[in-house]
Amino acid sequence: MTVTGPDFVALQVRDLEKAADFYENTIGLTRAPAGPPGAVVFTTSPIPFAVREPLPDVDLDSVERPGTGVALWFSCDDAQELHDRLGEAGVAILRSPAPSPFGLTFTFVDPDGYAVTVHNAS
């Protein structure tokens, strides 16, 4: 048996279409042509990313910030440009752009309260 690591990431969201629209039109991801019921999958690589309806017994309103303790990072060819575009769109920025071992990084908050870090692709 060999475990090779993560090969799919999905966020459970309150409003599927609102979240899908945010990741498609504000962040700039491309929707995959198909996905499972109750989810929107994006053509991200190397790991597919999706937003999905909550699983039974998941109450996103019962926590201060969904995903606390999990680090979700997206790579981007121009983190500063994305930061500026998100700021203009009124998206909350948790951490302003700063140099790091992974290039320029910043962290924003998505419509469901997830903290997502963006870094310049290497």
Side-chain angles (χ1 to χ4, degrees), residues 37-54:
V40 174
V41 179
F42 297 93
T43 58
T44 55
S45 71
I47 299 173
F49 170 74
V51 290
R52 61 159 295 140
E53 295 172 347

Side-chain angles (χ1 to χ4, degrees), residues 75-88:
S75 64
C76 179
D77 61 356
D78 190 336
Q80 184 66 56
E81 181 181 337
L82 179 58
H83 168 271
D84 296 348
R85 189 170 80 218
L86 294 179
E88 290 170 6

Side-chain angles (χ1 to χ4, degrees), residues 17-109:
E17 279 310 311
K18 179 179 177 181
D21 180 70
F22 174 80
Y23 280 101
E24 181 177 28
N25 295 311
T26 304
I27 300 300
L29 300 182
T30 301
R31 288 187 194 213
V40 174
V41 179
F42 297 93
T43 58
T44 55
S45 71
I47 299 173
F49 170 74
V51 290
R52 61 159 295 140
E53 295 172 347
L55 295 170
D57 298 325
V58 171
D59 180 4
L60 296 173
D61 295 322
S62 69
V63 295
E64 184 177 334
R65 180 177 306 283
T68 296
V70 174
L72 176 60
W73 287 50
F74 287 170
S75 64
C76 179
D77 61 356
D78 190 336
Q80 184 66 56
E81 181 181 337
L82 179 58
H83 168 271
D84 296 348
R85 189 170 80 218
L86 294 179
E88 290 170 6
V91 174
I93 303 296
L94 286 179
R95 192 173 71 234
S96 297
S100 81
F102 306 102
L104 188 70
T105 64
F106 74 94
T107 303
F108 68 88
V109 179

